[in-house]
Amino acid sequence: MDQQTYPVQSLNAGKIETLTYGGKTFESAIRKEAVQERIFLSKIGLVGDEQAYKHHGGEDKALCLYPQDYYPYWSDILSNFSQTALFGENITVKGLTEENAHIGDTFTYGEAVIQVSEPRNPCYKLAAKYDVPDMVVRMRDTGYTGFLFRVLKEGFVSPGDDLVLLEPHPAQVSVSLVNDVKFFDRFNQEKLERVLSVDALSEGIRATLLKQYQSKTKNSWG
């Protein structure tokens, strides 16, 4: 069986800065730049890469991926479009999207082994950076959110390293399905049960979805 390989277009890291966009000032490391040399990937992320807020990091959110596949869509929307780390992601990857990435899938990345843990939650800072007020809504409605990884094995990664699927998770719960129950079909008990059954789901989003499940509330069409 051929290995599924996904080309990494850029490996990105950044430092916390005080930024002002559209009259809003905040701390952020969203302006990441492509790394030119190999860098160590630890349990909490790339060494030297910073996160401004605690809930933006941690072991379940060690690495952020955004598919390059969506860059053409955003190029028609963003006036100050960038080909590198458009949404402050650590790795910009071709061919791996929310549709074909599953919670718990593991990949080799350089010397490291990483595992899909949860979708990325769209942040208001992206709207501020690009002066697109409905940016969060656009990301939610398109499903073009990107997603996050935990690090199962630490190691050095380099700009030329690609993601290679090591082991697909048997449950095959896609990141897009998690986005669906998170944002839209929020009280579909069957879908929620399927998502919550995945052991590799991050604890943060598990707590949120468990509350939805326990509420027993149904959508108007359910």
Side-chain angles (χ1 to χ4, degrees), residues 3 106-114 162-167:
Q3 289 183 313
T106 58
F107 297 81
T108 58
Y109 183 36
E111 297 177 350
V113 175
I114 61 178
D162 294 327
L163 294 188
V164 180
L165 182 63
L166 180 63
E167 185 175 357

Side-chain angles (χ1 to χ4, degrees), residues 61-220:
K61 303 179 181 182
L63 201 65
C64 178
L65 176 151
Y66 200 80
Q68 190 191 46
D69 308 62
Y70 304 147
Y71 273 40
Y73 170 82
W74 295 110
S75 68
D76 294 332
I77 296 169
L78 309 181
S79 58
N80 50 342
F81 181 78
S82 171
Q83 289 287 354
T84 302
L86 184 64
F87 294 122
E89 71 270 15
N90 297 118
I91 49 176
T92 311
V93 179
K94 188 174 182 179
L96 186 62
T97 71
E98 297 82 1
E99 294 290 337
N100 62 356
H102 306 90
I103 304 299
D105 284 354
T106 58
F107 297 81
T108 58
Y109 183 36
E111 297 177 350
V113 175
I114 61 178
Q115 182 181 55
V116 179
S117 57
E118 66 170 82
R120 179 185 184 169
N121 194 44
C123 176
Y124 76 91
K125 293 179 184 179
L126 298 175
K129 177 181 179 181
Y130 289 112
D131 193 26
V132 178
D134 66 344
M135 173 68 77
V136 171
V137 175
R138 284 178 181 268
M139 296 186 85
R140 181 196 69 193
D141 289 353
T142 58
Y144 299 168
T145 59
F147 45 97
L148 303 169
F149 293 84
R150 63 174 59 88
V151 177
L152 300 182
K153 176 188 174 186
E154 299 179 328
F156 280 95
V157 297
S158 302
D161 294 332
D162 294 327
L163 294 188
V164 180
L165 182 63
L166 180 63
E167 185 175 357
H169 194 278
Q172 293 289 281
V173 170
S174 67
V175 174
S176 63
L177 176 59
V178 182
N179 275 334
D180 181 43
V181 296
K182 181 180 177 183
F183 295 124
F184 301 107
D185 205 1
R186 298 184 62 243
F187 303 105
N188 185 310
Q189 297 285 295
E190 183 178 347
K191 287 183 181 179
L192 283 166
E193 285 176 0
R194 187 177 174 204
V195 172
L196 290 168
S197 71
V198 181
D199 55 354
L201 186 68
S202 70
E203 289 306 312
I205 196 168
R206 179 182 298 280
T208 298
L209 297 181
L210 187 59
K211 287 181 181 178
Q212 290 175 205
Y213 179 76
Q214 292 173 337
S215 73
K216 304 295 183 184
T217 303
K218 291 186 177 181
N219 289 313
S220 59

Side-chain angles (χ1 to χ4, degrees), residues 1-12:
M1 183 178 177
D2 294 335
Q3 289 183 313
Q4 295 180 38
T5 300
Y6 301 93
V8 175
Q9 305 302 300
S10 65
L11 169 63
N12 316 301

Side-chain angles (χ1 to χ4, degrees), residues 19-40:
L19 303 174
T20 300
Y21 292 118
K24 293 184 178 180
T25 299
F26 49 81
E27 298 291 307
S28 178
I30 197 172
R31 294 201 309 173
K32 299 190 188 302
E33 297 182 351
V35 174
Q36 303 302 323
E37 300 179 350
R38 75 174 192 159
I39 185 171
F40 191 74

